[in-house]
């Protein structure tokens, strides 16, 4: 039921955005940014209030560090491979013309 509620809220927002797409709604991005900061703050409060999580922060922190390093390394390698692929294709096009 929660998923359906989330999807309905998103669909309603998309529909509302579609209806007012030609109007200046610059304030919406500022409101969204404010809510994101508020959500991050509340998430921090939730984490800080969880004693079990705080006691295991060292273990979670180490795992998070390992995941972060793996994620950054994977992103760099994927970007490098994509850049090489695109460069080769552009070089082939330039040599053919």
């Amino acid at each position: 039921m929660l998923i359906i509620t989330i999807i309905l809220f998103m669909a309603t927002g998309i529909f509302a955005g579609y209806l007012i797409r030609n109007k200046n709604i610059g304030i919406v991005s500022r409101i969204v940014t404010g809510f994101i900061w508020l959500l991050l703050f509340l998430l921090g409060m939730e984490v800080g209030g969880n004693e079990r999580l705080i006691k295991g922060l060292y273990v979670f922190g180490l795992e998070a560090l390992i995941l972060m390093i793996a994620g950054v390394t994977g992103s760099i390698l994927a970007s490098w491979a994509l850049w090489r692929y695109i460069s080769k294709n552009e070089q082939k096009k330039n040599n053919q013309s």
Side-chain angles (χ1 to χ4, degrees), residues 51-72:
E51 188 175 329
R52 187 172 157 218
L53 195 61
I54 291 297
K55 285 183 179 177
L57 198 57
Y58 174 73
V59 175
F60 293 133
L62 182 63
E63 288 177 7
L65 179 67
I66 292 168
L67 287 173
M68 186 266 307
I69 290 171
V72 169

Side-chain angles (χ1 to χ4, degrees), residues 6-72:
I6 291 170
I7 291 172
L8 283 175
F9 266 96
M10 287 187 67
T12 304
I14 291 169
F15 183 69
Y18 180 78
L19 290 178
I20 60 170
R21 68 182 178 272
N22 293 329
K23 296 181 180 171
N24 185 10
I25 53 172
I27 193 167
V28 172
S29 65
R30 282 187 254 150
I31 292 171
V32 169
T33 301
F35 275 115
I36 289 171
W37 285 113
L38 178 65
L39 285 172
L40 288 171
F41 176 75
L42 293 173
L43 179 65
M45 283 182 61
E46 181 78 20
V47 170
N50 188 334
E51 188 175 329
R52 187 172 157 218
L53 195 61
I54 291 297
K55 285 183 179 177
L57 198 57
Y58 174 73
V59 175
F60 293 133
L62 182 63
E63 288 177 7
L65 179 67
I66 292 168
L67 287 173
M68 186 266 307
I69 290 171
V72 169

